[in-house]
Amino acid sequence: NPGVSIRDNELKEAYDKLDEHQLHEMKLGAEAEKSIAANIVSEIKTALQKTNGCISWERLASFIAGGENKVQPVSSKTLAKYVTATEGFRYFVTQTLPQCTTEHTKKWRKRWSTNFHIFWEGAKMVANKVQVVYFHIDEKWFYSLVIRMHNKCVPALGVQGVFNRIHHKNSIDKTLAICAMAFVPRENDMRKGGNAHKLTITRCGGMVEAKKDSYKRVQKPDGSGFHYPKVPENRLRKKGEYYFENWEITGSKVCDKDGKSKFSLAKWIADTFMKDLLDLCRDLETKLGKRIHVRGQWDNASPHTEHFLLALIAELFGEYGWVWTTQPANSPLTNIMDAAIFPALAKMVSGLQGVLAGGHYLHCEVLWQLVKKAWDDYPLDRLARTFVHHSQVAAAIYACDGGDEFVQERNGLSFGVRKACRLDYGDG
């Protein structure tokens, strides 16, 4: 009986009553436990190697004991204390890595990192006459409801959990945004820091007219299925009114053969991005008294490689002698958006969802307002550090000969950027 204390004399009395067979079994069990304890390190090593470390401390203790119902010679807490004290121990999270192990991809990554350093070493040599502006572009889906861990339920303080009912995970509202960030490195040296600028964030879609009244799907009172009650309180859209519609991103097409609207990257670059970029360059040229050279990149998604779009970029950037490059395939870490900005913005939106919406489901228009607020509130000094970190990623890729072994190391993505960078308020 667990928890019941037994005096020594009671234990001796019970032991004396054991028959010869029971005594023999006890001696064999004691010897087996002594053997396990004597070889405990090799047993631990075998169990951890067999499971590649994917095992709880409780299961590890059972594994070493020989089964769940066996007496454990070493407790799970003792095992945890011993293993965590070994040199180099760390916890890691189950994760997937991009497919960058093929020779083609590694050569592409190595070539990208080589060109990156050749350009910036050359840029430092003309820093007294030319200022480089470096930009990154990418797209991101933001969702109206995401899994948030460690929400607080405090009945004693009148705080209950929030549960959101949806028909299916695919019916969760979402909005697509395309973002562009720029960096102006000091003396054209990424390692010396610099000033970051938020160029633009644009919602990928447009206002369309509702062709008919539409209603929410609700469950029938008898539970036999769903229907769409045509009552005012259940109406989603009214015929003739305009609402925002997410559009698929394309290279240059503004609609498909059926007339369905698309989000044209070519139109966005010509009408929005170039305007914001040129405004920044003119301000820098006036302030610094230097010629401005722009270099930027995005990924190689299909819309980004469309022939007509590439021709437009070549025309717009060729007029100024600027360069627009493509990052390596399967390499999200080579773009500050995927590496840092988007995860941070998504987390900020989730936080704002709790503060401003009580953790409730966000409808599209409210979601977009929170995305915009997160964008506006994101600190520029932190944005600048992401570009400094980006230069260290390029160096790590080169050191790994185009591979990603550095990601698998302990603190492999921490290059001490936060400690090395500090705010500079200038002469004032």
Side-chain angles (χ1 to χ4, degrees), residues 39-104:
N39 301 288
I40 191 67
V41 175
S42 61
E43 293 288 338
I44 294 173
K45 182 178 180 180
T46 299
L48 291 176
Q49 288 183 347
K50 182 177 181 179
T51 60
N52 288 317
C54 300
I55 186 171
S56 66
W57 299 118
E58 290 75 13
R59 287 190 179 276
L60 180 60
S62 297
F63 185 95
I64 292 173
E68 294 186 1
N69 298 323
K70 301 291 184 179
V71 176
Q72 298 178 359
V74 181
S75 69
S76 59
K77 291 184 178 180
T78 303
L79 285 172
K81 185 179 296 185
Y82 168 76
V83 175
T84 56
T86 57
E87 183 179 357
F89 172 85
R90 65 184 174 98
Y91 288 106
F92 70 95
V93 178
T94 300
Q95 58 181 333
T96 58
L97 297 176
Q99 289 287 358
C100 61
T101 55
T102 64
E103 286 303 314
H104 174 74

Side-chain angles (χ1 to χ4, degrees), residues 214-284:
S214 59
Y215 300 88
K216 290 186 292 185
R217 187 178 80 156
V218 297
Q219 193 171 27
K220 293 180 178 180
D222 60 1
S224 60
F226 295 93
H227 65 152
Y228 301 82
K230 295 183 178 182
V231 294
E233 58 269 21
N234 195 51
R235 185 163 52 198
L236 288 173
R237 300 188 183 110
K238 186 177 181 180
K239 182 179 178 179
E241 292 184 349
Y242 283 82
Y243 68 97
F244 189 89
E245 180 182 66
N246 291 318
W247 292 345
E248 179 188 0
I249 290 180
T250 64
S252 59
K253 295 180 179 179
V254 295
C255 64
D256 59 17
K257 61 181 180 180
D258 298 324
K260 187 175 182 180
S261 298
K262 303 291 182 181
F263 185 83
S264 169
L265 287 173
K267 188 176 186 303
W268 174 78
I269 291 173
D271 296 346
T272 303
F273 175 70
M274 284 300 295
K275 178 182 178 299
D276 294 332
L277 181 60
L278 288 172
D279 287 345
L280 172 63
C281 291
R282 293 189 188 100
D283 291 343
L284 291 173

